[in-house]
Amino acid sequence: MKKIINIFAAFIFLIVIVLGVWSTFAMQTVSFESTILMAKNKLKGDLESFKYMLSQEYGELQLVDDKLTDQHGNSIKYQYQIIDKISKELDIAATIFVKENDDYRRIATSIIDSSGKRGVDTFLGSQSAAFAFVLAGEEYIGNAVILGNNYLTVYHPLFQPGTDEVIGSLFLGINMKAIEEIIAHGEQSQLIRIAIVALSILLFLFYFLNHFTKLDTRTMIAEESNKAKSKFLATVSHEIRTPMNAILGITEIQLQDKTISAATREAFNKIYNSGNMLLGIINDILDLSRIEMDKMELNPIKYEIASLINDIVHLNIIRNSKPIEFSLKVDENTPATLLGDELRIKQILNNLLSNAYKYTERGNVILYIYTEAATEDDSAMLVFCISDTGQGMTAEQVKRLFTTEYTRFNLEANRTIEGIGLGLNITWRLIKLMNGAISVESEPNMGTSFIVRLPQKVIDSKAIGKEVAENLQNFRIISSANINSAQIMREYMPYGKILIVDDVDSNLYVAKGLMTPYGLSIDTVSSGFEAIEKIKAGNVYDIVFMDHMMPKMDGMEAAKIIRDMGYKSPIIVLTANAVVGQSKIFLENGFDEFIPKPIDIRQLNAVLNKFVRNKQPPEAIEEARRQKRSMAKSIPHDIAPELDALLSVFLLDIKKNLPIIESVLGNIENVSDEELQLFTVGVHAMKSAFANIGKTASSDLAFALEKATRARDKNAIKSMAPILIDELQNMAKEIEAKKQQIESDVDEDRDYLCKQLKTICQACESYDKKTIKNALKSLKDLSWKRDTQDLIDKIDEHILYSDFEEARKLAENVST
């Protein structure tokens, strides 16, 4: 009773304070809001006037051969007379943008700086708050600082005549100086009243803390729990992302090869679509903290319902290994194009279908999709019905499904079923976030039916039609949208210079393969020490891509040392450790950007555009485009890697880490902390390398050994390390045997070999590591017999540890 009285008293006191605050700021707020409203109304009026005056001069704007032109086909680039006239007449700042690849370039503006220059040939950029709205064909109103003055701004999309294709944008801004003066005056006249309110708030806080100190203990417990959960999520995220980096990265590289057959391309498309969808789902499940704190945000986009259904159906059919018949029913009247959060909808459907398969041993699973009329004209209620003939649930179990607790039933019977019971809880929360509803009908041993209703905006009232519905139901549809990354316009950047740092050779292989089509000059090194040497030697790169977890010196340490040397150019971390808050830690430790593994080619493309292309003058960009056009119609695609090449890289990983693992095992009782740390990194590298080539069981063994090492469990190390060593030795033998089979076909260029080895000998005498590395790189680009390749690898290893004398002896023996 006393607690209730205290809460009631606090509530009354809070109301009094709120009324005081409201009375204090009422006049100021009304003045501010009315001024803002007037400014927005003026801005909208100015926009209509601007569009009208622009059409009077140019007629209907259109995009022709990537140029914004008037109705007669004349380019309006750098045409300032009319835009200056309109801006002066309306007392506004104005700019015209044209869509160029994945960005928007300023081609005309009335904004002139103090030196008399206009801000043209620069880009809007994806980092701008307006970018996503313009890209989606929507209007955006916000604020911007232009030449030191605050402006209320509007971005208005331009469309290709007769289509919904966004070809550019109009920008208008009006000076907000008058509003700032009104606000400043209001603040000065209210100082005393604000002080009174502040005192009242302090009294309330004292009262609150005095009566609810018990919350402190609960908060401390919750914080400790969150720390433990964050550590768990960081570990799981890293372990899942490492193999996904290879799956998606190598698929991306293969898809760049225009010479592969249609059947092979379709297979890679399916691998990529399935892997990318799984990655999206993994990201959401691992980000439980956002869901539990109700901080999950929706990302509505335009999507095709046929493509969504196709992706979900094919993924679940592939995963089904039970005697279960799957049936799909799609209403032909379902709208073809909708607006909603496609990824979240896929996650909901995937969770429900996955559960249906998990808890059904035989029988059938049915997915029925249709729409119901909604209250708004441009909306529809998208309905999914998922039914199965599985275990079913009791009425009591159904009631416990959608609560804040994570629940699994029949644990003894379901002990072999994968998962930790988060799927339905996440599904329920996502549906609530979308203002949707979910209902369940179930009977024990008879099966379960879930019905989901999600309100969606209808972009196009045209229905999918009978033919598409039948093709979906017969599983004949291939997603109408190509892989997003394949649609990216890769800017040719021969002026760019990149350094990639990673201790796992197969990871270097993937990253370099993804960047090769850009025509960049790419250096690769396998440690933070080598990266530092590169910078010490005077190399300046447009971007240094730095792996996070490396032996002896991790990415953060390397970045700090490089920054302390005065290096200012961008350093971007590549890591599989991607959870909430991690990016902030990287940015606070010398990095400019954060790219999680697996590398998303869209994010990589945006980073390359931002830090390489956008820093070049317009004439350099245009010259690069001319070079590309003068070459063959596309960049040569024989650079696409094959599995044989990846196996060769894996062999290097084995040779690098196997001696470390064997050495520590032989001295496990007296091993030092430093040696054990090297052992951990080596096992971690082998786990990633096995995952890269699809050896899941071996990767799992390495992961188990890594966990035992971190726990300092020497008994577990002694039992598992010999098995891993056998795996590595056998794998090395298999790769060596494969190399021997093809060795007879290799025609060595002995003259070229001797020439490069002589260069290496001379460079070793002067400790010229740069020349040595260049010579070794030129040799590695060619095919050699096994003994020759071993020689090159040994020289490379000696140079890695700056053992110039041994490297010189090896090179000299062959060159002479």
Side-chain angles (χ1 to χ4, degrees):
M1 184 65 182
K2 182 178 179 181
K3 185 177 180 180
I4 295 174
I5 294 173
N6 286 337
I7 294 174
F8 180 76
F11 179 72
I12 296 298
F13 195 55
L14 183 60
I15 290 177
V16 172
I17 292 175
V18 170
L19 290 174
V21 173
W22 177 82
S23 63
T24 301
F25 295 106
M27 184 178 298
Q28 181 181 344
T29 302
V30 169
S31 174
F32 174 80
E33 291 179 349
S34 62
T35 309
I36 289 291
L37 182 59
M38 285 188 294
K40 285 185 177 180
N41 288 336
K42 180 183 184 303
L43 190 63
K44 290 180 179 179
D46 289 343
L47 176 62
E48 293 304 314
S49 300
F50 186 87
K51 287 164 59 180
Y52 173 77
M53 297 168 78
L54 204 62
S55 66
Q56 290 293 103
E57 177 69 19
Y58 295 121
E60 197 169 34
L61 299 182
Q62 55 189 335
L63 194 65
V64 178
D65 296 330
D66 296 328
K67 294 180 180 179
L68 199 62
T69 67
D70 62 18
Q71 60 185 355
H72 303 298
N74 300 316
S75 173
I76 65 169
K77 189 175 184 180
Y78 309 143
Q79 299 298 312
Y80 303 125
Q81 184 177 359
I82 183 64
I83 199 170
D84 284 347
K85 178 182 177 183
I86 298 173
S87 297
K88 185 176 181 181
E89 208 167 305
L90 298 176
D91 191 22
I92 58 172
T95 301
I96 300 176
F97 293 82
V98 63
K99 191 172 191 307
E100 187 169 305
N101 296 325
D102 297 319
D103 213 329
Y104 294 87
R105 180 191 289 273
R106 295 173 177 86
I107 60 170
T109 181
S110 64
I111 302 171
I112 303 174
D113 63 18
S114 57
S115 65
K117 295 182 179 179
R118 297 180 188 262
V120 293
D121 288 330
T122 54
F123 295 86
L124 174 60
S126 57
Q127 71 277 9
S128 169
F131 184 84
F133 289 86
V134 175
L135 188 66
E138 299 174 3
E139 192 172 273
Y140 173 82
I141 296 180
N143 290 84
V145 176
I146 303 174
L147 301 180
N149 294 315
N150 190 21
Y151 280 73
L152 184 68
T153 63
V154 60
Y155 289 82
H156 183 80
L158 295 173
F159 298 91
Q160 186 78 333
T163 72
D164 59 355
E165 178 190 359
V166 180
I167 62 173
S169 176
L170 299 179
F171 164 91
L172 269 67
I174 60 174
N175 200 311
M176 295 292 289
K177 188 175 181 180
I179 290 179
E180 293 171 352
E181 290 175 353
I182 292 172
I183 295 170
H185 177 74
E187 289 173 346
Q188 292 171 3
S189 64
Q190 300 296 333
L191 284 177
I192 296 177
R193 297 171 72 181
I194 290 172
I196 295 172
V197 173
L199 180 60
S200 300
I201 292 174
L202 287 173
L203 290 172
F204 170 74
L205 289 175
F206 177 81
Y207 176 85
F208 182 84
L209 292 172
N210 188 50
H211 286 82
F212 299 101
T213 52
K214 290 183 179 180
L215 290 176
D216 289 344
T217 304
R218 297 175 187 173
T219 301
M220 289 175 62
I221 294 173
E223 287 177 353
E224 289 301 318
S225 175
N226 282 335
K227 286 180 182 178
K229 182 178 67 179
S230 296
K231 185 176 180 180
F232 166 77
L233 292 178
T235 302
V236 174
S237 172
H238 191 278
E239 303 318 320
I240 295 176
R241 286 172 178 274
T242 297
M244 289 299 290
N245 181 46
I247 293 169
L248 292 179
I250 294 173
T251 305
E252 288 267 14
I253 296 169
Q254 294 291 347
L255 284 168
Q256 294 168 10
D257 185 358
K258 302 299 183 183
T259 65
I260 61 177
S261 67
T264 303
R265 183 169 297 280
E266 181 180 339
F268 279 123
N269 278 338
K270 288 181 177 178
I271 292 171
Y272 188 92
N273 279 335
S274 298
N276 204 40
M277 187 191 309
L278 283 172
L279 180 62
I281 294 168
I282 288 165
N283 289 341
D284 288 332
I285 293 176
L286 292 177
D287 202 7
L288 283 175
S289 58
R290 282 194 303 163
I291 299 175
E292 292 179 345
M293 293 187 294
D294 293 325
K295 291 187 176 181
M296 178 73 76
E297 295 181 357
L298 297 178
N299 182 29
I301 62 170
K302 183 172 70 172
Y303 67 92
E304 295 179 5
I305 190 68
S307 178
L308 180 148
I309 296 170
N310 172 76
D311 290 346
I312 284 292
V313 168
H314 278 82
L315 175 64
N316 283 274
I317 288 176
I318 291 170
R319 295 194 308 195
N320 177 34
S321 59
K322 297 179 180 179
I324 299 173
E325 180 183 352
F326 177 76
S327 300
L328 173 65
K329 297 180 181 179
V330 183
D331 186 352
E332 63 185 66
N333 297 313
T334 303
T337 309
L338 299 171
L339 180 70
D341 195 324
E342 183 183 19
L343 178 62
R344 302 288 183 262
I345 296 172
K346 284 182 176 180
Q347 183 176 349
I348 290 168
L349 272 172
N350 183 72
N351 283 343
L352 294 175
L353 283 171
S354 175
N355 271 3
Y357 279 115
K358 282 180 184 178
Y359 297 103
T360 303
E361 290 303 318
R362 60 182 55 83
N364 58 68
V365 172
I366 302 172
L367 171 61
Y368 181 28
I369 300 173
Y370 61 96
T371 53
E372 295 175 344
T375 54
E376 299 179 20
D377 293 338
D378 60 345
S379 297
M381 191 66 71
L382 186 59
V383 184
F384 304 107
C385 300
I386 299 97
S387 302
D388 63 62
T389 56
Q391 294 179 9
M393 293 174 284
T394 66
E396 181 61 30
Q397 288 173 336
V398 170
K399 288 181 182 178
R400 291 166 53 199
L401 273 182
F402 304 125
T403 65
T404 56
E405 300 296 327
Y406 304 124
T407 306
R408 291 188 69 180
F409 306 126
N410 307 327
L411 294 179
E412 180 61 29
N414 298 325
R415 65 184 183 278
T416 61
I417 291 178
E418 297 177 354
I420 54 177
L422 294 174
L424 280 180
N425 190 277
I426 293 171
T427 297
W428 171 56
R429 291 174 183 268
L430 290 175
I431 292 170
K432 283 177 60 180
L433 191 62
M434 294 181 182
N435 298 317
I438 183 170
S439 58
V440 188
E441 296 178 3
S442 186
E443 291 185 30
N445 303 317
M446 296 295 290
T448 304
S449 294
F450 287 91
I451 301 176
V452 177
R453 288 179 168 81
L454 299 173
Q456 301 285 284
K457 293 288 185 182
V458 178
I459 300 298
D460 187 350
S461 58
K462 180 182 177 182
I464 60 174
K466 184 177 181 180
E467 182 180 358
V468 172
E470 289 179 351
N471 284 338
L472 283 169
Q473 290 166 174
N474 294 324
F475 314 132
R476 288 200 300 264
I477 285 284
I478 300 299
S479 176
S480 60
N482 292 325
I483 295 175
N484 287 335
S485 60
Q487 296 176 340
I488 286 176
M489 296 295 293
R490 293 175 175 84
E491 190 83 52
Y492 190 53
M493 306 177 189
Y495 41 75
K497 190 176 182 183
I498 302 296
L499 175 65
I500 308 173
V501 188
D502 200 305
D503 67 300
V504 180
D505 288 323
S506 49
N507 287 344
L508 285 174
Y509 180 87
V510 169
K512 184 176 180 180
L514 292 178
M515 297 185 213
T516 299
Y518 292 88
L520 298 157
S521 172
I522 302 175
D523 289 345
T524 60
V525 295
S526 55
S527 72
F529 299 102
E530 289 182 275
I532 293 168
E533 289 299 319
K534 285 279 188 183
I535 304 304
K536 278 184 178 178
N539 290 291
V540 178
Y541 299 93
D542 292 280
I543 304 174
V544 174
F545 288 101
M546 180 83 70
D547 181 39
H548 176 207
M549 188 172 179
M550 294 185 290
K552 295 187 178 180
M553 179 188 293
D554 66 20
M556 282 193 188
E557 294 176 85
K560 185 178 187 305
I561 293 172
I562 290 172
R563 290 301 188 206
D564 290 344
M565 291 163 56
Y567 188 80
K568 302 296 184 184
S569 296
I571 306 177
I572 296 173
V573 63
L574 294 174
T575 179
N577 189 13
V579 293
V580 172
Q582 192 68 38
S583 58
K584 182 180 179 182
I585 294 173
F586 288 127
L587 295 177
E588 290 173 350
N589 282 272
F591 293 101
D592 296 88
E593 289 277 356
F594 163 85
I595 296 183
K597 294 178 183 177
I599 298 172
D600 186 332
I601 191 66
R602 291 164 295 181
Q603 190 173 358
L604 176 64
N605 187 68
V607 165
L608 291 173
N609 284 344
K610 177 180 178 182
F611 291 110
V612 183
R613 181 195 68 183
N614 292 358
K615 292 185 177 180
Q616 299 295 319
E619 55 270 20
I621 297 173
E622 186 57 38
E623 175 59 28
R625 291 172 181 167
R626 279 196 294 269
Q627 287 180 24
K628 187 177 181 181
R629 288 193 294 268
S630 67
M631 296 164 61
K633 289 188 177 179
S634 61
I635 299 173
H637 291 280
D638 55 355
I639 58 173
E642 302 292 340
L643 181 59
D644 289 345
L646 185 58
L647 289 175
S648 296
V649 173
F650 180 50
L651 183 60
L652 294 177
D653 286 328
I654 294 176
K655 290 180 177 179
K656 187 191 306 181
N657 292 286
L658 183 56
I660 297 171
I661 297 171
E662 291 175 326
S663 173
V664 170
L665 179 62
N667 188 40
I668 188 65
E669 297 300 337
N670 300 309
V671 68
S672 67
D673 288 342
E674 183 180 356
E675 290 172 323
L676 208 55
Q677 175 61 25
L678 285 175
F679 182 88
T680 304
V681 175
V683 173
H684 174 85
M686 289 298 90
K687 177 200 65 181
S688 298
F690 272 124
N692 284 340
I693 62 170
K695 294 283 187 179
T696 307
S698 300
S699 180
D700 291 342
L701 171 64
F703 178 40
L705 182 55
E706 181 185 350
K707 289 196 294 185
T709 308
R710 294 183 188 280
R712 298 297 194 268
D713 187 346
K714 293 184 178 180
N715 289 330
I717 294 172
K718 286 189 286 187
S719 65
M720 287 188 286
I723 303 174
L724 180 64
I725 290 171
D726 287 343
E727 291 277 350
L728 292 171
Q729 289 173 341
N730 291 335
M731 194 68 209
K733 289 177 182 177
E734 287 182 26
I735 298 172
E736 292 284 7
K738 186 176 181 64
K739 291 173 70 176
Q740 286 180 5
Q741 290 177 2
I742 62 173
E743 188 177 90
S744 58
D745 297 329
V746 175
D747 184 15
E748 289 189 337
D749 187 342
R750 299 295 297 183
D751 290 340
Y752 184 76
L753 174 65
C754 291
K755 178 182 177 182
Q756 294 302 319
L757 290 177
K758 286 180 180 178
T759 300
I760 291 172
C761 285
Q762 295 169 359
C764 284
E765 293 176 355
S766 59
Y767 307 105
D768 185 355
K769 185 178 281 190
K770 181 178 180 181
T771 299
I772 298 170
K773 283 289 187 179
N774 289 337
L776 287 171
K777 182 179 182 300
S778 67
L779 291 174
K780 288 179 180 180
D781 288 340
L782 301 176
S783 297
W784 304 99
K785 294 184 184 297
R786 185 183 63 172
D787 291 343
T788 306
Q789 187 62 58
D790 286 344
L791 170 72
I792 295 169
D793 291 341
K794 286 178 182 177
I795 293 173
D796 191 18
E797 185 176 351
H798 285 307
I799 296 302
L800 175 63
Y801 297 106
S802 298
D803 192 350
F804 293 98
E805 182 59 26
E806 288 299 321
R808 186 192 63 77
K809 289 178 181 178
L810 288 173
E812 190 175 48
N813 287 339
V814 177
S815 62
T816 56

